[in-house]
Amino acid sequence: MPQVKKGSQRLLFASYLKGARLEFVEGWSIVQSKAEGGLLDTLTLDLVVVPCVALDRFGYRLGSGYGYYDATLSQRSGNRPLTIYVGFKETVVSNCYRHNKDVRGDLWLGC
């Protein structure tokens, strides 16, 4: 599960153990695992599933606007994990007007 750490633009990832306690992150309106299973080395991830607000035909996404996933994924320039964007098929747009720091996804899963 992704972990937001104040003062950092990159996400941390934690193992999620069934029944693990979740905590509300003040100011973000999200919940995250308390990382009871330990943190994972982001550089060793093989697959990352990323939520989308919108996705364009070029494979770029619109997220929540803070750039955490892009900053995290771009730290592994040549060997990044398989990136699957997940969203609703109704949110596919012609262009998300990407920024130079945005990361292109490998696959899109829509429902």
Side-chain angles (χ1 to χ4, degrees), residues 2-74:
Q3 303 285 304
V4 176
K5 184 177 180 183
K6 279 193 172 184
S8 174
Q9 186 68 19
R10 293 197 173 121
L11 293 170
L12 301 172
F13 291 88
S15 297
Y16 177 76
L17 303 175
K18 185 177 179 179
R21 292 177 292 158
L22 299 176
E23 63 185 356
F24 181 76
V25 180
E26 204 58 49
W28 292 96
S29 299
I30 61 172
V31 293
Q32 63 186 22
S33 167
K34 291 186 86 58
E36 294 165 349
L39 292 175
L40 303 171
D41 181 353
T42 304
L43 297 176
T44 64
L45 297 176
D46 295 319
L47 170 73
V48 177
V49 178
V50 183
C52 297
V53 172
L55 178 84
D56 69 19
R57 59 192 169 117
F58 304 106
Y60 291 92
R61 68 182 264 283
L62 177 65
S64 297
Y66 298 105
Y68 283 87
Y69 279 101
D70 293 314
T72 303
L73 293 170
S74 66

Side-chain angles (χ1 to χ4, degrees), residues 62-88:
L62 177 65
S64 297
Y66 298 105
Y68 283 87
Y69 279 101
D70 293 314
T72 303
L73 293 170
S74 66
Q75 73 182 4
R76 286 178 58 179
S77 56
N79 186 26
R80 66 180 180 82
L82 179 67
T83 305
I84 300 176
Y85 290 158
V86 177
F88 295 105

